[in-house]
Amino acid sequence: MSSDKLEKEEIHTIASENIIDDEYPEPTEEDLKTLREVPDKLPISAFLVILIEFCERFTYYGLSGPFQNYIQWPHPESYPARQPGALGKGHQTATALTTFFQFWCYVTPIFGAIVADKWLGKYRAIVLFACVYMTGLVILTCTSIPTSIENGGAFPGFIVSIIIIGLGTGGIKSNVAPLVAEQYKSRSPYVRTLKGGERVIVSPQATYQKIFSYFYWSINIGSLSAIATTELEKNVGFWSAFILPTLMFVPCLTVVILGRKRYVQTPPRGSVIVEAGKIFYYNTKINGMFAKIDAMDAVKPSNLAVAHPDLAANATWDDTFVDELKRALRACIVFCWYPFFWLCYAQISNNLISQASTMQTGNVPNDIIQNLDPIFVIILIPFMDHIMYPLLRRLGFRMRPITRISCGFFSGAIAMGYSAGIQSYIYKSPPYYDNPIGPNDVSAGLQIPSYFFVALAEIFASVTGNEYAYKKAPQSMKAIVMSLFLLTNCFASILAFALVPVTVDPKMTWLYTGIAGAAFVCGIFVYVCHHKLDDTDVEDDMIGRNEEELQKYVQKAQTDEQVDSEKAHH
């Protein structure tokens, strides 16, 4: 029986967190060495959250796709238009505002995460920020109608709308990925006998890998909405390009609200940020500023009670929270390398588009070629999830997170190295050579491998980064750690700004070469510095509390906060 067929076997989902019995025994040491891993079956609620993400990403990419033309070019006399536009603010203003919007959308997840983990919980935070999002969409759509453009209302309306939309999408972005993963509750691997008689290990690690692959797949399907909205802006007008994603957001709100009773929800622990701050402060006080992460064991309440009883009286956390925080810190160190990965990814939305404009594209617009990336992702994710990963597990090679992340950096380096080669070929081709004021005699089809390897890099590094941020975060800080992972995009934008002076011909070959070299070196460092984390991946993932313990922990925090509040009033 083929590996993909076996993967499709109905695998029983253990509903509670840790049920190990005679029918589903815990794997032995021998089992772990000899049996292959398979993912568990996903609950319906997980697919509902994935549907929410699809609708939100459809909206986001659909509305942001036309932004550059909307800002840069003036309003045409009629439609269909040769060059669609609205605000007529010029190229520099358009680039500045679209860059600000992207930057803002990756800063606001921090705020959304704090609101969720400290006060509302992920579900209620998503509902709140979805309403904020919808408000921004309505403002954008209403101010893009021809009457508003002619009367000068479009520009202020656009500024207000992108601030509101950025706040809404950031609040959703930091919470929806943790929410989809929370729908799967098992933390312990167990042995299952398939219908064909094969014994396999059903592991949370393989299941989370599957969850985030599906999650990222939905993002890329949604991103294809830009193809439709860019056609609408040219043939009908920007109001139609913006109303389509606005209407698509309605199913998102509907699924969020109607599915509320199906979602597994982790209650917020209001004092979590204060507690984390106290732990870092106590750790510095006891161990010094540059102590190793493992030295944080000294601030566990069980150890404080013996060595520092004066500090133990103020410890509102438990030993498990310290272990979770140590695990999260190790993950955040891995994330420090990610700006160089995102720098590779960012090339598909700017410099590779410009490269295509110096090549022969036939009747295809040069800016539509970037959609090859999501198309490749949509094709590759099912291939990796149903064929490649199961095949590797069958052969006994379990691609743990750090290995996959390293492969992502190497794939990004290959994409950029190949792009450097193509750029060099363009410069050597007639009629414009290294001053391509128009298309040289080079087919844009040569760009296809660049987009393929960027897509492969996303599957290895981006999908795994989301998975890693969720798995390694404390139960009460999932959204916060996810937002820190997303924040690495902002640092990539800063790197991109620093490289602006070399984004001119004939220096583009060196730009791509430099980015390729940086990504390749980072991939080596990621593996060399962090590969040992793969050895403890399963053990680290099992740190945590079951539902009953978590409820008690949250209730204790709420009681402590109430007591502190009463003391403050008296």
Side-chain angles (χ1 to χ4, degrees), residues 6-137:
L6 284 171
E7 205 68 87
K8 292 177 182 176
E9 291 273 8
E10 289 293 312
I11 300 171
H12 177 74
T13 300
I14 296 182
S16 62
E17 294 198 13
N18 290 296
I19 297 179
I20 302 295
D21 54 26
D22 292 337
E23 187 177 359
Y24 304 109
E26 185 176 0
T28 63
E29 287 293 328
E30 183 64 22
D31 290 336
L32 292 171
K33 292 177 182 177
T34 58
L35 302 184
R36 70 184 181 97
E37 288 185 24
V38 298
D40 212 334
K41 186 180 178 183
L42 304 186
I44 295 296
S45 57
F47 289 104
L48 289 177
V49 180
I50 288 171
L51 180 60
I52 293 170
E53 178 66 1
F54 161 74
C55 294
E56 191 278 327
R57 291 289 88 183
F58 184 102
T59 299
Y60 175 82
Y61 286 107
L63 65 89
S64 60
F67 275 180
Q68 187 81 9
N69 284 342
Y70 184 70
I71 305 165
Q72 181 174 351
W73 302 102
H75 188 51
E77 293 182 1
S78 62
Y79 286 92
R82 186 185 67 82
Q83 177 57 64
L87 305 181
K89 297 294 182 180
H91 180 268
Q92 191 173 23
T93 301
T95 301
L97 285 175
T98 54
T99 302
F100 164 76
F101 179 66
Q102 293 168 0
F103 183 86
W104 176 240
C105 288
Y106 283 104
V107 170
T108 52
I110 296 287
F111 176 70
I114 293 172
V115 169
D117 284 345
K118 186 172 176 59
W119 291 297
L120 297 182
K122 297 174 194 63
Y123 171 75
R124 290 181 179 179
I126 289 173
V127 173
L128 170 65
F129 287 107
C131 293
V132 172
Y133 202 138
M134 193 68 190
T135 302
L137 291 171

Side-chain angles (χ1 to χ4, degrees), residues 475-487:
Q475 282 176 295
S476 50
M477 294 181 68
K478 298 292 187 186
I480 291 175
V481 175
M482 184 64 69
S483 68
L484 293 175
F485 170 67
L486 295 171
L487 189 65

Side-chain angles (χ1 to χ4, degrees), residues 111 125 146 155 176 239 246 316 377 421 435 473 517 521 527 535:
F111 176 70
F155 185 63
V176 70
W239 66 269
T246 300
T316 56
V377 171
N435 184 31
V521 171
Y527 189 79
D535 298 333

Side-chain angles (χ1 to χ4, degrees), residues 393-406:
R393 294 187 196 114
R394 173 179 282 279
L395 297 174
F397 183 66
R398 299 180 174 98
M399 287 192 77
R400 297 298 184 200
I402 300 301
T403 303
R404 279 181 274 142
I405 292 170
S406 300

Side-chain angles (χ1 to χ4, degrees), residues 376-431:
F376 276 131
V377 171
I378 291 166
I379 295 169
L380 285 172
I381 282 182
F383 171 77
M384 297 297 288
D385 190 62
H386 293 285
I387 299 174
M388 184 56 67
Y389 288 142
L391 179 61
L392 291 173
R393 294 187 196 114
R394 173 179 282 279
L395 297 174
F397 183 66
R398 299 180 174 98
M399 287 192 77
R400 297 298 184 200
I402 300 301
T403 303
R404 279 181 274 142
I405 292 170
S406 300
C407 288
F409 277 84
F410 294 141
S411 297
I414 292 171
M416 293 300 101
Y418 178 83
S419 298
I422 294 301
Q423 191 66 58
S424 177
Y425 182 53
I426 292 170
Y427 287 155
K428 293 176 182 177
S429 300

Side-chain angles (χ1 to χ4, degrees), residues 174-501:
S174 58
N175 290 295
V176 70
L179 184 65
V180 70
E182 282 182 356
Q183 305 313 299
Y184 180 71
K185 301 302 292 179
S186 179
R187 285 206 313 273
S188 299
Y190 64 94
V191 177
R192 165 79 169 167
T193 303
L194 301 178
K195 291 178 181 178
E198 182 189 6
R199 295 174 72 244
V200 295
I201 297 174
V202 180
S203 75
Q205 288 70 36
T207 306
Y208 285 126
Q209 187 176 334
K210 180 179 181 178
I211 287 172
F212 283 102
S213 291
Y214 283 12
F215 183 78
Y216 205 76
W217 188 71
S218 72
I219 290 174
N220 281 272
I221 292 180
S223 72
L224 294 176
S225 62
I227 298 175
T229 54
T230 49
E231 284 295 318
L232 285 171
E233 71 168 87
K234 184 173 183 177
N235 295 302
V236 183
F238 283 94
W239 66 269
S240 65
F242 295 146
I243 201 170
L244 175 62
T246 300
L247 292 174
M248 191 62 187
F249 199 70
V250 175
C252 175
L253 270 172
T254 304
V255 173
V256 169
I257 295 170
L258 294 183
R260 64 188 182 278
K261 293 183 180 179
R262 284 184 171 272
Y263 304 127
V264 175
Q265 300 178 42
T266 300
R269 178 171 168 80
S271 59
V272 64
I273 299 173
V274 175
E275 283 182 341
K278 280 184 177 179
I279 288 174
F280 293 137
Y281 173 70
Y282 285 1
N283 183 54
T284 302
K285 191 173 183 179
I286 296 170
N287 298 311
M289 182 70 72
F290 302 105
K292 291 183 178 180
I293 292 176
D294 285 334
M296 287 177 65
D297 285 343
V299 296
K300 289 182 176 180
S302 59
N303 293 329
L304 287 176
V306 176
H308 303 277
D310 54 321
L311 299 179
N314 297 319
T316 56
W317 55 89
D318 59 8
D319 288 3
T320 301
F321 185 66
V322 176
D323 286 331
E324 289 181 322
L325 205 56
K326 286 163 52 184
R327 180 182 65 188
L329 284 173
R330 293 189 185 98
C332 288
I333 292 172
V334 175
F335 298 156
C336 290
W337 302 102
Y338 264 84
F340 295 95
F341 166 76
W342 294 123
L343 186 61
C344 291
Y345 173 74
Q347 302 312 302
I348 69 172
S349 60
N350 44 54
N351 288 323
L352 284 181
I353 294 175
S354 298
Q355 186 186 71
S357 70
T358 65
M359 306 170 78
Q360 298 293 333
T361 62
N363 295 321
V364 178
N366 68 296
D367 60 353
I368 208 170
I369 297 177
Q370 63 180 312
N371 289 289
L372 284 172
D373 172 69
I375 290 172
F376 276 131
V377 171
I378 291 166
I379 295 169
L380 285 172
I381 282 182
F383 171 77
M384 297 297 288
D385 190 62
H386 293 285
I387 299 174
M388 184 56 67
Y389 288 142
L391 179 61
L392 291 173
R393 294 187 196 114
R394 173 179 282 279
L395 297 174
F397 183 66
R398 299 180 174 98
M399 287 192 77
R400 297 298 184 200
I402 300 301
T403 303
R404 279 181 274 142
I405 292 170
S406 300
C407 288
F409 277 84
F410 294 141
S411 297
I414 292 171
M416 293 300 101
Y418 178 83
S419 298
I422 294 301
Q423 191 66 58
S424 177
Y425 182 53
I426 292 170
Y427 287 155
K428 293 176 182 177
S429 300
Y432 301 107
Y433 295 97
D434 62 357
N435 184 31
I437 56 175
N440 281 344
D441 294 335
V442 179
S443 171
L446 291 175
Q447 281 193 322
I448 292 174
S450 295
Y451 286 98
F452 173 83
F453 283 108
V454 168
L456 190 62
E458 287 180 75
I459 293 170
F460 281 130
S462 183
V463 173
T464 308
N466 280 281
E467 172 194 334
Y468 209 61
Y470 174 80
K471 291 199 308 176
K472 305 308 177 185
Q475 282 176 295
S476 50
M477 294 181 68
K478 298 292 187 186
I480 291 175
V481 175
M482 184 64 69
S483 68
L484 293 175
F485 170 67
L486 295 171
L487 189 65
T488 58
N489 281 272
C490 294
F491 295 106
S493 297
I494 294 170
L495 290 173
F497 275 121
L499 292 172
V500 166

